[in-house]
Amino acid sequence: MLIAAAVCPYPPLLVPRVAGGAAAELARVRAACERAVAALAAARPDRLTVVGGGGRTRVHPAGAAGSLAGYGVDVVVGRGPGTLPLSLTLGRWLAERCGAAPHSYAEVAGDARTEECLVLGAALAEEAPRVALLVMGDGSARRAANSPGRMDGRAAGYDEALAEALERADVRALAGLDPALSDDLMAEGRAAWQVLAGAADGAGLAGELLAHEAPYGVGYFVARWLPR
């Protein structure tokens, strides 16, 4: 059963060694992530799984590693070859930074259907009596002129609705995210958030939004869901 969840973004600049002199720009988001992940550790789960988007749906073992070499620094998170996608690499980095030890890493295909995501989430929640999820996902990358994608007038509304859903621990709202619209708006967290919806259905958790910023024209959200 899901007893706690944290939602965090995964920009490489979250890692100070990658950000260099720009590390302060994401200081508040980084601090909020640390608060959210610390809450997972404090919940004392039997099993902690990191969930994030990638090329295909599969589960990586606890020893899986990831690399940030593609972002200009020779940083390897974990030991061994870097098989984790960026989302899970940042998830492992955050977990270790906060003293948490994930038991597995669930990679979900970015184009996974909603039904697949919900089923995966439900299955993850059933893996132990007390399950916690660290869910990695970015919002729309079409928020402003400095966004990676061309600015889209729908992006701000999409992200505001998502922030409200995370604040309210609104499982239905997350399950109802439109994959086509999410893809149009370059919201790469959609599949991971719908895995959370599948895991949290019936869990009765309360949400708290710790951060919602878009410093680089991309929506970054930090939230924690804990027992009421």
Side-chain angles (χ1 to χ4, degrees):
M1 177 180 178
L2 186 72
I3 55 96
V7 174
C8 295
Y10 58 93
L13 294 180
L14 202 63
V15 180
R17 282 188 60 188
V18 176
E25 295 178 11
L26 285 180
R28 288 185 298 182
V29 172
R30 190 180 304 110
C33 288
E34 291 171 356
R35 289 174 59 199
V37 177
L40 296 185
R44 298 184 179 277
D46 301 319
R47 188 170 186 85
L48 169 60
T49 296
V50 183
V51 180
R56 61 191 176 100
T57 299
R58 53 181 172 166
V59 177
H60 302 265
S67 173
L68 295 174
Y71 298 92
V73 294
D74 186 19
V75 173
V76 175
V77 183
R79 297 181 179 180
T83 59
L84 295 177
L86 178 63
S87 62
L88 298 181
T89 298
L90 266 291
R92 175 159 189 165
W93 178 82
L94 274 174
E96 292 183 350
R97 185 177 176 89
C98 298
H103 296 85
S104 63
Y105 300 85
E107 178 181 351
V108 55
D111 61 356
R113 294 181 297 109
T114 295
E115 294 77 9
E116 296 175 59
C117 299
L118 298 177
V119 168
L120 174 59
L124 292 176
E126 293 175 356
E127 289 186 338
R130 296 175 58 82
V131 173
L133 297 182
L134 171 53
V135 181
M136 309 299 293
D138 291 349
S140 176
R142 303 184 67 175
R143 289 275 298 263
N146 65 333
S147 297
R150 181 170 51 84
M151 186 175 176
D152 189 306
R154 301 170 295 175
Y158 177 98
D159 279 0
E160 287 296 336
L162 178 59
E164 184 175 351
L166 294 174
E167 173 73 30
R168 296 184 177 184
D170 191 334
V171 170
R172 286 190 177 184
L174 293 185
L177 291 172
D178 182 348
L181 176 61
S182 301
D183 187 56
D184 282 350
L185 297 178
M186 301 171 64
E188 296 185 355
R190 188 275 308 174
W193 298 323
Q194 290 189 323
V195 171
L196 171 59
D201 190 20
L205 301 180
E208 181 183 7
L209 187 68
L210 301 178
H212 172 201
E213 300 186 13
Y216 305 113
V218 181
Y220 297 147
F221 309 88
V222 183
R224 57 187 176 189
W225 292 10
L226 300 171
R228 295 182 183 277

mmCIF file with all atom_site columns, all heavy atoms in Angstrom, residues 81-96:
data_model
loop_
_atom_site.group_PDB
_atom_site.id
_atom_site.type_symbol
_atom_site.label_atom_id
_atom_site.label_alt_id
_atom_site.label_comp_id
_atom_site.label_asym_id
_atom_site.label_entity_id
_atom_site.label_seq_id
_atom_site.pdbx_PDB_ins_code
_atom_site.Cartn_x
_atom_site.Cartn_y
_atom_site.Cartn_z
_atom_site.occupancy
_atom_site.B_iso_or_equiv
_atom_site.pdbx_formal_charge
_atom_site.auth_seq_id
_atom_site.auth_comp_id
_atom_site.auth_asym_id
_atom_site.auth_atom_id
_atom_site.pdbx_PDB_model_num
ATOM 1   N N   . PRO A 1 81 ? 27.845 0.755  -15.023 1.00 0.00 ? 81 PRO A N   1
ATOM 2   C CA  . PRO A 1 81 ? 27.479 1.503  -16.223 1.00 0.00 ? 81 PRO A CA  1
ATOM 3   C C   . PRO A 1 81 ? 26.192 2.289  -16.012 1.00 0.00 ? 81 PRO A C   1
ATOM 4   O O   . PRO A 1 81 ? 25.303 1.867  -15.267 1.00 0.00 ? 81 PRO A O   1
ATOM 5   C CB  . PRO A 1 81 ? 27.292 0.403  -17.278 1.00 0.00 ? 81 PRO A CB  1
ATOM 6   C CG  . PRO A 1 81 ? 26.985 -0.824 -16.487 1.00 0.00 ? 81 PRO A CG  1
ATOM 7   C CD  . PRO A 1 81 ? 27.776 -0.702 -15.228 1.00 0.00 ? 81 PRO A CD  1
ATOM 8   N N   . GLY A 1 82 ? 26.109 3.438  -16.657 1.00 0.00 ? 82 GLY A N   1
ATOM 9   C CA  . GLY A 1 82 ? 24.944 4.303  -16.487 1.00 0.00 ? 82 GLY A CA  1
ATOM 10  C C   . GLY A 1 82 ? 23.765 3.853  -17.324 1.00 0.00 ? 82 GLY A C   1
ATOM 11  O O   . GLY A 1 82 ? 23.618 4.259  -18.475 1.00 0.00 ? 82 GLY A O   1
ATOM 12  N N   . THR A 1 83 ? 22.907 3.023  -16.754 1.00 0.00 ? 83 THR A N   1
ATOM 13  C CA  . THR A 1 83 ? 21.741 2.519  -17.479 1.00 0.00 ? 83 THR A CA  1
ATOM 14  C C   . THR A 1 83 ? 20.474 3.302  -17.185 1.00 0.00 ? 83 THR A C   1
ATOM 15  O O   . THR A 1 83 ? 19.483 3.173  -17.911 1.00 0.00 ? 83 THR A O   1
ATOM 16  C CB  . THR A 1 83 ? 21.500 1.039  -17.128 1.00 0.00 ? 83 THR A CB  1
ATOM 17  O OG1 . THR A 1 83 ? 21.285 0.920  -15.718 1.00 0.00 ? 83 THR A OG1 1
ATOM 18  C CG2 . THR A 1 83 ? 22.690 0.179  -17.522 1.00 0.00 ? 83 THR A CG2 1
ATOM 19  N N   . LEU A 1 84 ? 20.466 4.093  -16.126 1.00 0.00 ? 84 LEU A N   1
ATOM 20  C CA  . LEU A 1 84 ? 19.260 4.831  -15.764 1.00 0.00 ? 84 LEU A CA  1
ATOM 21  C C   . LEU A 1 84 ? 19.067 6.042  -16.671 1.00 0.00 ? 84 LEU A C   1
ATOM 22  O O   . LEU A 1 84 ? 20.029 6.746  -16.998 1.00 0.00 ? 84 LEU A O   1
ATOM 23  C CB  . LEU A 1 84 ? 19.345 5.309  -14.317 1.00 0.00 ? 84 LEU A CB  1
ATOM 24  C CG  . LEU A 1 84 ? 19.382 4.245  -13.220 1.00 0.00 ? 84 LEU A CG  1
ATOM 25  C CD1 . LEU A 1 84 ? 19.540 4.905  -11.854 1.00 0.00 ? 84 LEU A CD1 1
ATOM 26  C CD2 . LEU A 1 84 ? 18.133 3.379  -13.250 1.00 0.00 ? 84 LEU A CD2 1
ATOM 27  N N   . PRO A 1 85 ? 17.817 6.339  -17.074 1.00 0.00 ? 85 PRO A N   1
ATOM 28  C CA  . PRO A 1 85 ? 17.559 7.582  -17.804 1.00 0.00 ? 85 PRO A CA  1
ATOM 29  C C   . PRO A 1 85 ? 17.745 8.772  -16.878 1.00 0.00 ? 85 PRO A C   1
ATOM 30  O O   . PRO A 1 85 ? 17.877 8.614  -15.653 1.00 0.00 ? 85 PRO A O   1
ATOM 31  C CB  . PRO A 1 85 ? 16.101 7.429  -18.248 1.00 0.00 ? 85 PRO A CB  1
ATOM 32  C CG  . PRO A 1 85 ? 15.489 6.546  -17.212 1.00 0.00 ? 85 PRO A CG  1
ATOM 33  C CD  . PRO A 1 85 ? 16.582 5.571  -16.838 1.00 0.00 ? 85 PRO A CD  1
ATOM 34  N N   . LEU A 1 86 ? 17.732 9.968  -17.450 1.00 0.00 ? 86 LEU A N   1
ATOM 35  C CA  . LEU A 1 86 ? 17.988 11.177 -16.664 1.00 0.00 ? 86 LEU A CA  1
ATOM 36  C C   . LEU A 1 86 ? 17.055 11.298 -15.470 1.00 0.00 ? 86 LEU A C   1
ATOM 37  O O   . LEU A 1 86 ? 17.491 11.636 -14.361 1.00 0.00 ? 86 LEU A O   1
ATOM 38  C CB  . LEU A 1 86 ? 17.869 12.417 -17.553 1.00 0.00 ? 86 LEU A CB  1
ATOM 39  C CG  . LEU A 1 86 ? 18.064 13.764 -16.858 1.00 0.00 ? 86 LEU A CG  1
ATOM 40  C CD1 . LEU A 1 86 ? 19.473 13.881 -16.288 1.00 0.00 ? 86 LEU A CD1 1
ATOM 41  C CD2 . LEU A 1 86 ? 17.782 14.907 -17.829 1.00 0.00 ? 86 LEU A CD2 1
ATOM 42  N N   . SER A 1 87 ? 15.763 11.040 -15.667 1.00 0.00 ? 87 SER A N   1
ATOM 43  C CA  . SER A 1 87 ? 14.809 11.205 -14.569 1.00 0.00 ? 87 SER A CA  1
ATOM 44  C C   . SER A 1 87 ? 15.188 10.349 -13.361 1.00 0.00 ? 87 SER A C   1
ATOM 45  O O   . SER A 1 87 ? 15.169 10.820 -12.220 1.00 0.00 ? 87 SER A O   1
ATOM 46  C CB  . SER A 1 87 ? 13.398 10.854 -15.039 1.00 0.00 ? 87 SER A CB  1
ATOM 47  O OG  . SER A 1 87 ? 13.321 9.493  -15.439 1.00 0.00 ? 87 SER A OG  1
ATOM 48  N N   . LEU A 1 88 ? 15.556 9.096  -13.605 1.00 0.00 ? 88 LEU A N   1
ATOM 49  C CA  . LEU A 1 88 ? 15.885 8.192  -12.514 1.00 0.00 ? 88 LEU A CA  1
ATOM 50  C C   . LEU A 1 88 ? 17.287 8.451  -11.969 1.00 0.00 ? 88 LEU A C   1
ATOM 51  O O   . LEU A 1 88 ? 17.544 8.206  -10.783 1.00 0.00 ? 88 LEU A O   1
ATOM 52  C CB  . LEU A 1 88 ? 15.743 6.748  -12.977 1.00 0.00 ? 88 LEU A CB  1
ATOM 53  C CG  . LEU A 1 88 ? 14.328 6.338  -13.416 1.00 0.00 ? 88 LEU A CG  1
ATOM 54  C CD1 . LEU A 1 88 ? 14.296 4.885  -13.832 1.00 0.00 ? 88 LEU A CD1 1
ATOM 55  C CD2 . LEU A 1 88 ? 13.313 6.605  -12.302 1.00 0.00 ? 88 LEU A CD2 1
ATOM 56  N N   . THR A 1 89 ? 18.175 8.946  -12.816 1.00 0.00 ? 89 THR A N   1
ATOM 57  C CA  . THR A 1 89 ? 19.502 9.333  -12.338 1.00 0.00 ? 89 THR A CA  1
ATOM 58  C C   . THR A 1 89 ? 19.379 10.453 -11.314 1.00 0.00 ? 89 THR A C   1
ATOM 59  O O   . THR A 1 89 ? 19.996 10.410 -10.238 1.00 0.00 ? 89 THR A O   1
ATOM 60  C CB  . THR A 1 89 ? 20.388 9.785  -13.500 1.00 0.00 ? 89 THR A CB  1
ATOM 61  O OG1 . THR A 1 89 ? 20.562 8.688  -14.410 1.00 0.00 ? 89 THR A OG1 1
ATOM 62  C CG2 . THR A 1 89 ? 21.750 10.252 -13.030 1.00 0.00 ? 89 THR A CG2 1
ATOM 63  N N   . LEU A 1 90 ? 18.570 11.462 -11.632 1.00 0.00 ? 90 LEU A N   1
ATOM 64  C CA  . LEU A 1 90 ? 18.359 12.561 -10.679 1.00 0.00 ? 90 LEU A CA  1
ATOM 65  C C   . LEU A 1 90 ? 17.595 12.072 -9.451  1.00 0.00 ? 90 LEU A C   1
ATOM 66  O O   . LEU A 1 90 ? 17.838 12.537 -8.331  1.00 0.00 ? 90 LEU A O   1
ATOM 67  C CB  . LEU A 1 90 ? 17.610 13.707 -11.355 1.00 0.00 ? 90 LEU A CB  1
ATOM 68  C CG  . LEU A 1 90 ? 18.460 14.836 -11.957 1.00 0.00 ? 90 LEU A CG  1
ATOM 69  C CD1 . LEU A 1 90 ? 19.130 15.645 -10.874 1.00 0.00 ? 90 LEU A CD1 1
ATOM 70  C CD2 . LEU A 1 90 ? 19.486 14.298 -12.926 1.00 0.00 ? 90 LEU A CD2 1
ATOM 71  N N   . GLY A 1 91 ? 16.688 11.124 -9.660  1.00 0.00 ? 91 GLY A N   1
ATOM 72  C CA  . GLY A 1 91 ? 15.972 10.564 -8.520  1.00 0.00 ? 91 GLY A CA  1
ATOM 73  C C   . GLY A 1 91 ? 16.905 9.853  -7.562  1.00 0.00 ? 91 GLY A C   1
ATOM 74  O O   . GLY A 1 91 ? 16.806 10.010 -6.341  1.00 0.00 ? 91 GLY A O   1
ATOM 75  N N   . ARG A 1 92 ? 17.843 9.081  -8.107  1.00 0.00 ? 92 ARG A N   1
ATOM 76  C CA  . ARG A 1 92 ? 18.805 8.400  -7.241  1.00 0.00 ? 92 ARG A CA  1
ATOM 77  C C   . ARG A 1 92 ? 19.702 9.419  -6.536  1.00 0.00 ? 92 ARG A C   1
ATOM 78  O O   . ARG A 1 92 ? 20.003 9.270  -5.351  1.00 0.00 ? 92 ARG A O   1
ATOM 79  C CB  . ARG A 1 92 ? 19.653 7.418  -8.048  1.00 0.00 ? 92 ARG A CB  1
ATOM 80  C CG  . ARG A 1 92 ? 20.742 6.786  -7.210  1.00 0.00 ? 92 ARG A CG  1
ATOM 81  C CD  . ARG A 1 92 ? 21.297 5.502  -7.726  1.00 0.00 ? 92 ARG A CD  1
ATOM 82  N NE  . ARG A 1 92 ? 22.172 4.925  -6.704  1.00 0.00 ? 92 ARG A NE  1
ATOM 83  C CZ  . ARG A 1 92 ? 22.612 3.687  -6.691  1.00 0.00 ? 92 ARG A CZ  1
ATOM 84  N NH1 . ARG A 1 92 ? 22.250 2.844  -7.646  1.00 0.00 ? 92 ARG A NH1 1
ATOM 85  N NH2 . ARG A 1 92 ? 23.397 3.255  -5.729  1.00 0.00 ? 92 ARG A NH2 1
ATOM 86  N N   . TRP A 1 93 ? 20.118 10.445 -7.272  1.00 0.00 ? 93 TRP A N   1
ATOM 87  C CA  . TRP A 1 93 ? 20.969 11.474 -6.678  1.00 0.00 ? 93 TRP A CA  1
ATOM 88  C C   . TRP A 1 93 ? 20.255 12.152 -5.502  1.00 0.00 ? 93 TRP A C   1
ATOM 89  O O   . TRP A 1 93 ? 20.847 12.335 -4.432  1.00 0.00 ? 93 TRP A O   1
ATOM 90  C CB  . TRP A 1 93 ? 21.349 12.501 -7.748  1.00 0.00 ? 93 TRP A CB  1
ATOM 91  C CG  . TRP A 1 93 ? 22.179 13.623 -7.230  1.00 0.00 ? 93 TRP A CG  1
ATOM 92  C CD1 . TRP A 1 93 ? 23.532 13.628 -7.027  1.00 0.00 ? 93 TRP A CD1 1
ATOM 93  C CD2 . TRP A 1 93 ? 21.706 14.928 -6.821  1.00 0.00 ? 93 TRP A CD2 1
ATOM 94  N NE1 . TRP A 1 93 ? 23.930 14.841 -6.516  1.00 0.00 ? 93 TRP A NE1 1
ATOM 95  C CE2 . TRP A 1 93 ? 22.844 15.654 -6.386  1.00 0.00 ? 93 TRP A CE2 1
ATOM 96  C CE3 . TRP A 1 93 ? 20.463 15.532 -6.800  1.00 0.00 ? 93 TRP A CE3 1
ATOM 97  C CZ2 . TRP A 1 93 ? 22.737 16.962 -5.926  1.00 0.00 ? 93 TRP A CZ2 1
ATOM 98  C CZ3 . TRP A 1 93 ? 20.358 16.834 -6.336  1.00 0.00 ? 93 TRP A CZ3 1
ATOM 99  C CH2 . TRP A 1 93 ? 21.491 17.538 -5.911  1.00 0.00 ? 93 TRP A CH2 1
ATOM 100 N N   . LEU A 1 94 ? 18.983 12.493 -5.691  1.00 0.00 ? 94 LEU A N   1
ATOM 101 C CA  . LEU A 1 94 ? 18.224 13.136 -4.614  1.00 0.00 ? 94 LEU A CA  1
ATOM 102 C C   . LEU A 1 94 ? 18.057 12.204 -3.419  1.00 0.00 ? 94 LEU A C   1
ATOM 103 O O   . LEU A 1 94 ? 18.221 12.615 -2.269  1.00 0.00 ? 94 LEU A O   1
ATOM 104 C CB  . LEU A 1 94 ? 16.839 13.552 -5.128  1.00 0.00 ? 94 LEU A CB  1
ATOM 105 C CG  . LEU A 1 94 ? 16.708 14.907 -5.807  1.00 0.00 ? 94 LEU A CG  1
ATOM 106 C CD1 . LEU A 1 94 ? 15.303 15.072 -6.371  1.00 0.00 ? 94 LEU A CD1 1
ATOM 107 C CD2 . LEU A 1 94 ? 17.030 16.039 -4.834  1.00 0.00 ? 94 LEU A CD2 1
ATOM 108 N N   . ALA A 1 95 ? 17.719 10.949 -3.701  1.00 0.00 ? 95 ALA A N   1
ATOM 109 C CA  . ALA A 1 95 ? 17.515 9.992  -2.615  1.00 0.00 ? 95 ALA A CA  1
ATOM 110 C C   . ALA A 1 95 ? 18.783 9.840  -1.785  1.00 0.00 ? 95 ALA A C   1
ATOM 111 O O   . ALA A 1 95 ? 18.743 9.897  -0.543  1.00 0.00 ? 95 ALA A O   1
ATOM 112 C CB  . ALA A 1 95 ? 17.061 8.656  -3.181  1.00 0.00 ? 95 ALA A CB  1
ATOM 113 N N   . GLU A 1 96 ? 19.904 9.660  -2.456  1.00 0.00 ? 96 GLU A N   1
ATOM 114 C CA  . GLU A 1 96 ? 21.161 9.475  -1.734  1.00 0.00 ? 96 GLU A CA  1
ATOM 115 C C   . GLU A 1 96 ? 21.557 10.745 -0.983  1.00 0.00 ? 96 GLU A C   1
ATOM 116 O O   . GLU A 1 96 ? 22.109 10.668 0.124   1.00 0.00 ? 96 GLU A O   1
ATOM 117 C CB  . GLU A 1 96 ? 22.249 9.054  -2.712  1.00 0.00 ? 96 GLU A CB  1
ATOM 118 C CG  . GLU A 1 96 ? 22.025 7.663  -3.283  1.00 0.00 ? 96 GLU A CG  1
ATOM 119 C CD  . GLU A 1 96 ? 23.151 7.207  -4.194  1.00 0.00 ? 96 GLU A CD  1
ATOM 120 O OE1 . GLU A 1 96 ? 24.021 8.048  -4.528  1.00 0.00 ? 96 GLU A OE1 1
ATOM 121 O OE2 . GLU A 1 96 ? 23.164 6.023  -4.564  1.00 0.00 ? 96 GLU A OE2 1
#
